[in-house]
């Protein structure tokens, strides 16, 4: 028997009621902030997103997919049934998600953050230029190893637009090549130039135990390794664990990415040369602010390049204490 229109209306009311039950600001707009995984990096972004929600008196849902791209796709589908007004997402594999992202963009305000999907119908991107940020990390490597040397790279996955660009910028800076953000060096390639030999790039698919194993295996396979570079937040701490286990702390130069506590402590201790930080707090905060502005029809926050820029910074031993203190303040830890 087909349900009557009154029953359908009643069911829709129940769904809407269930969606709004936990709203902090009943009746206000609802925006979703979707990450590309689970990590302390995203916990910082969550604090920023929710602070923006409180400042603007709008509801913010933060979703962190723990099982990769299929989980992220399901989260995005579910958000539509929850009645969100806008979504900020960091796509895991933008080339294989364009169709879904375009469908979402036809129903809600859609922006990307951290990692872009430039060929999709998203309205804007919130974040840094990952190619230039990679070059900044490459500069740190050259400072740490002024005579050059053998280097291994570590990253979660290269399907993400941010990871690919970050790696290519890093390689171009280390090897002193011409700028080329479209370059796609195979991860297994051994690349040499300007006194350096990059022995390859090892991926872990966002599995921290694999990240540590990759670092340990690299140390075993290349006992003469001079430098190790981690391109995701958890990579540098995993590298430090492997170095400690191998008795090589301080003997191999380490450069990281992002502001994991282990990385920052490593800089304080002199075991990490430096890191490039993205400011995930602002990723979260500014994504929510931008979604709210776009719902008002205000596009003034978007630059001519379709971005709301959140510049990257290099953190070394002389700046780490002040940076870490400011981060703790934002997170309410001081």
């Amino acid at each position: 028997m087909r349900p009557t229109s009154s029953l359908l209306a009643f069911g829709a009311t129940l769904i809407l009621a269930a969606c709004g039950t936990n709203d902090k600001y009943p009746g206000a707009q609802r925006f979703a902030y979707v990450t590309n995984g689970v990590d302390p990096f995203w916990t910082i972004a969550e604090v920023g997103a929710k602070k923006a929600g409180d400042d603007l008196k709008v509801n913010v849902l933060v979703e962190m997919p723990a099982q990769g791209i299929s989980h992220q796709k399901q989260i995005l589908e579910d958000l539509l049934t929850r009645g969100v007004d806008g979504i900020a997402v960091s796509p895991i594999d933008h080339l294989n998600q364009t169709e879904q992202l375009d469908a979402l963009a036809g129903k809600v305000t859609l922006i990307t953050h951290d990692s872009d999907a430039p060929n999709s119908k998203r309205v804007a991107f919130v974040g840094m230029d990952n190619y230039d940020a990679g070059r900044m990390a490459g500069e740190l490597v050259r400072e740490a190893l002024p005579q050059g040397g053998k280097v291994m790279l570590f990253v979660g996955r290269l399907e993400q637009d941010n990871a690919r660009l970050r790696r290519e910028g890093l390689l171009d800076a280390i090897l002193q090549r011409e700028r080329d953000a479209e370059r796609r060096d195979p991860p297994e390639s051994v690349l040499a130039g300007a006194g350096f030999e990059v022995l390859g790039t090892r991926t872990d698919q966002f599995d921290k135990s694999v990240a540590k194993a990759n670092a340990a295996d690299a140390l075993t396979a290349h006992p003469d390794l001079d430098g190790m570079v981690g391109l995701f937040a958890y990579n540098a701490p995993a590298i430090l664990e492997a170095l400690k286990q191998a008795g090589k702390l301080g003997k191999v130069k380490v450069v990281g990415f992002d502001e994991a506590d282990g990385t920052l402590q490593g800089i304080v201790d002199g075991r990490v040369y430096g890191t490039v930080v993205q400011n995930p707090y602002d990723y979260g905060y500014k994504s929510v602010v931008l979604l709210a502005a776009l719902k008002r029809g205000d596009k003034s926050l978007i630059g001519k390049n379709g971005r709301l820029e959140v510049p990257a910074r290099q953190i070394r031993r002389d700046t780490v204490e002040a940076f870490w203190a400011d981060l703790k303040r934002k997170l309410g830890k001081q």
Side-chain angles (χ1 to χ4, degrees):
M1 182 174 69
R2 298 180 66 181
T4 64
S5 59
S6 60
L7 285 174
L8 286 171
F10 177 68
T13 301
L14 285 177
I15 291 173
L16 289 173
C19 289
T21 299
N22 297 319
D23 280 352
K24 188 173 185 178
Y25 301 102
Q29 291 175 325
R30 186 184 294 115
F31 299 114
Y33 187 79
V34 183
T35 74
N36 59 32
V38 180
D39 190 84
F41 176 90
W42 291 121
T43 302
I44 300 171
E46 178 178 17
V47 173
K50 290 187 173 178
K51 179 62 166 62
D54 288 339
D55 288 350
L56 299 173
K57 299 297 186 291
V58 297
N59 300 295
V60 176
L61 311 174
V62 178
E63 298 287 350
M64 301 187 188
Q67 287 91 42
I69 186 170
S70 60
H71 191 193
Q72 188 182 70
K73 286 182 175 181
Q74 185 60 56
I75 285 172
L76 293 172
E77 291 176 8
D78 292 344
L79 285 171
L80 291 180
T81 67
R82 297 168 70 179
V84 296
D85 296 286
I87 298 173
V89 60
S90 177
I92 291 174
D93 184 354
H94 74 97
L95 294 176
N96 290 318
Q97 290 178 268
T98 301
E99 183 177 352
Q100 183 187 33
L101 294 175
D102 287 348
L104 288 171
K107 298 175 182 177
V108 299
T109 302
L110 179 71
I111 64 173
T112 54
H113 65 90
D114 176 57
S115 186
D116 198 10
N119 297 322
S120 72
K121 295 179 181 178
R122 58 89 171 133
V123 180
F125 169 68
V126 176
M128 65 182 183
D129 185 313
N130 276 280
Y131 177 81
D132 284 343
R135 292 189 65 89
M136 292 170 69
E139 291 168 3
L140 291 176
V141 173
R142 294 190 64 83
E143 289 176 17
L145 294 167
Q147 304 304 316
K150 295 182 179 181
V151 178
M152 182 72 77
L153 313 184
F154 304 86
V155 67
R157 48 193 167 225
L158 289 172
E159 296 88 350
Q160 293 177 205
D161 192 58
N162 62 340
R164 182 191 69 79
L165 288 168
R166 197 175 297 175
R167 173 176 174 267
E168 292 303 337
L170 173 80
L171 289 171
D172 286 352
I174 292 175
L175 303 173
Q176 297 289 278
R177 303 188 302 194
E178 293 292 326
R179 291 179 63 95
D180 185 358
E182 299 304 316
R183 202 191 314 268
R184 294 175 182 269
D185 293 295
E188 67 278 5
S189 296
V190 176
L191 304 167
F196 284 87
E197 187 177 3
V198 180
L199 302 177
T201 303
R202 301 198 176 189
T203 61
D204 53 65
Q205 297 303 312
F206 233 92
D207 187 323
K208 295 180 178 66
S209 63
V210 175
K212 180 183 176 182
N214 282 346
D217 289 346
L219 290 168
T220 300
H222 305 283
D224 57 346
L225 200 59
D226 299 296
M228 303 172 80
V229 184
L231 292 177
F232 276 8
Y234 57 84
N235 284 124
I239 289 169
L240 290 176
E241 289 181 22
L243 286 170
K244 182 178 181 180
Q245 190 172 19
K248 291 189 174 183
L249 277 175
K251 298 178 182 178
V252 177
K253 299 296 184 180
V254 179
V255 169
F257 227 95
D258 300 322
E259 47 271 80
D261 285 351
T263 301
L264 298 179
Q265 188 62 54
I267 296 175
V268 171
D269 296 338
R271 292 169 174 170
V272 175
Y273 181 81
T275 187
V276 175
V277 295
Q278 301 184 73
N279 200 338
Y281 181 92
D282 274 4
Y283 280 10
Y285 192 95
K286 292 186 176 183
S287 290
V288 173
V289 169
L290 179 57
L291 284 172
L294 291 173
K295 287 299 292 184
R296 299 193 303 269
D298 179 4
K299 295 185 177 182
S300 63
L301 296 175
I302 305 173
K304 292 181 180 180
N305 58 359
R307 295 172 176 267
L308 195 169
E309 294 284 353
V310 181
R313 290 174 287 168
Q314 293 169 320
I315 302 297
R316 301 173 180 82
R317 201 170 187 178
D318 61 337
T319 56
V320 65
E321 297 279 9
F323 170 78
W324 206 356
D326 179 63
L327 178 61
K328 290 176 180 177
R329 180 185 57 77
K330 287 179 177 176
L331 297 177
K333 294 182 178 180
Q334 280 190 342

